[in-house]
Amino acid sequence: MQLKLPRACFGCALMCLALSAGAQDYPTKPIRAIVPFAAGGGVDIATRAVGQKITERWGQQVIVDNRGGANGNIGAEIAAHAVPDGYTLLFGSTGPMAINPTLYAKIPFDPVKDFTAVGMVAPTYYLLVVHPSVPAKSLADIIQLAKDKNYRLTLASAGIGSPGHLSGEMLKMMAGIDFVHVPYKGTGPALADVIAGQASMIFTDMIAGMSYIQAGRLRLIAAATPKRLPKLPNTPTLAESGVPGYNAMAWTGMFAPAGTPKAIIYKLNTELNSVLKFPDVQERIASDGNDFAPNTPDSTAVLLKSEIAKWAKVIKASGATAE
């Protein structure tokens, strides 16, 4: 007896075979990796580190396309509207993917609906540091200064709605304190003014701040991460220093336009996880490869939704907005 499949099932089978074959052949041409920021920043560095390895391993060039502007919204919009064939990827970060949906009244893309998550690429570790003249060596000292009406404690940041700004707002909210936020036009000027003593403190990413900490030009207070950093084992986290549950770690992730075939998504994820195990890649992105384990498309999608909810709470409590 010959079993006859319904036409619909037969069509689905043919489609699955086509997708599988397409993923086997993929990629057959260069891949565009959109970075929604200017060259030289943390997201750009992580993208180039991963892209270079994929180029070497797959024999197809990963072309980094820097499309900065509007806190990452411009580049993300371009990626969201690209053909969903695996040849355009977005290396999105905490800002455009998790903060901007609440910070802006309206953005031209939906991080959840317009993208398919591939995997997490790199963490961004923030450290709370102060100028050496600030009479604080611990978070308890910072909290005491914030409550002292005779002391003016200021926090510098790269601008309203930046991760550094919102890390401070999260600290205010969770510790029940207040201090003056001083926004700058970029991380460089903000960090420079803290080093010069014009502002009291800043949440700086570890890569940008470590040389100044080691030179004694900044004093390290605590890590804004959920657990102690392997490279700073003696530095406590804010969570263990009096603010339980505090976590302001940022990230860079790989995303594809919604509708990209699942077979291609999983092939990209498998390759990404392989690349993240290389010591030279880990060195460049300041990661040990286990920050986001298990690093799957599903776990990345879940993390993205939780990050949007986390930062929405902080943004609403602070009243921060961007035009």
Side-chain angles (χ1 to χ4, degrees):
M1 180 177 177
Q2 187 177 6
L3 182 63
K4 292 185 178 180
L5 291 172
R7 287 186 179 181
C9 292
F10 184 68
C12 289
L14 285 178
M15 183 177 294
C16 289
L17 286 171
L19 288 174
S20 178
Q24 276 187 335
D25 295 337
Y26 171 86
T28 59
K29 61 182 182 179
I31 298 170
R32 179 171 65 151
I34 294 178
V35 174
F37 302 102
V43 178
D44 180 70
I45 291 170
T47 302
R48 292 179 188 276
V50 169
Q52 181 181 340
K53 280 294 183 198
I54 293 177
T55 296
E56 294 170 0
R57 287 162 59 86
W58 281 2
Q60 290 290 348
Q61 188 175 5
V62 176
I63 301 171
V64 178
D65 185 5
N66 296 93
R67 295 297 186 97
N71 288 338
N73 288 341
I74 291 175
E77 180 185 11
I78 293 170
H81 298 153
V83 177
D85 57 3
Y87 290 98
T88 298
L89 303 174
L90 173 70
F91 281 72
S93 64
T94 304
M97 302 301 282
I99 291 175
N100 289 0
T102 305
L103 185 67
Y104 287 80
K106 184 177 181 181
I107 57 175
F109 64 93
D110 186 313
V112 174
K113 294 179 181 178
D114 292 341
F115 289 97
T116 298
V118 176
M120 284 292 161
V121 176
T124 301
Y125 302 127
Y126 283 99
L127 306 174
L128 177 59
V129 298
V130 299
H131 185 266
S133 66
V134 176
K137 294 184 178 180
S138 67
L139 180 61
D141 293 338
I142 293 289
I143 292 173
Q144 185 175 350
L145 286 176
K147 293 179 178 180
D148 185 347
K149 294 181 180 180
N150 296 317
Y151 193 91
R152 187 173 184 268
L153 192 65
T154 57
L155 175 80
S157 84
I160 294 174
S162 66
H165 168 217
L166 295 179
S167 295
E169 294 298 334
M170 183 185 292
L171 178 58
K172 285 183 182 180
M173 181 178 72
M174 296 181 72
I177 58 175
D178 196 17
F179 43 76
V180 179
H181 171 233
V182 184
Y184 289 77
K185 292 183 178 180
T187 300
L191 188 59
D193 259 17
V194 178
I195 293 168
Q198 299 300 315
S200 307
M201 59 185 183
I202 188 172
F203 281 89
T204 178
D205 72 80
M206 187 170 71
I207 293 175
M210 275 309 299
S211 62
Y212 300 107
I213 293 168
Q214 292 166 347
R217 301 180 70 182
L218 292 172
R219 181 185 300 130
L220 178 56
I221 299 296
T225 51
K227 58 183 180 180
R228 292 197 182 196
L229 299 172
K231 291 187 176 181
L232 295 169
N234 297 321
T235 300
T237 65
L238 275 85
E240 66 182 293
S241 299
V243 191
Y246 187 96
N247 174 19
M249 189 174 83
W251 43 263
T252 297
M254 182 190 290
F255 301 88
T260 300
K262 287 186 177 181
I264 289 177
I265 294 295
Y266 282 99
K267 184 171 184 177
L268 282 164
N269 176 266
T270 299
E271 183 65 13
L272 173 63
N273 282 312
S274 295
V275 163
L276 293 178
K277 293 177 182 177
F278 283 90
D280 57 334
V281 173
Q282 292 179 6
E283 182 65 26
R284 290 180 67 184
I285 66 176
S287 170
D288 62 5
N290 296 312
D291 299 275
F292 303 105
N295 193 12
T296 66
D298 288 344
S299 68
T300 302
V302 170
L303 176 62
L304 175 61
K305 290 180 181 179
S306 69
E307 286 283 286
I308 291 172
K310 177 182 81 176
W311 290 114
K313 186 177 179 180
V314 176
I315 292 165
K316 289 174 182 177
S318 70
T321 60
E323 297 299 330

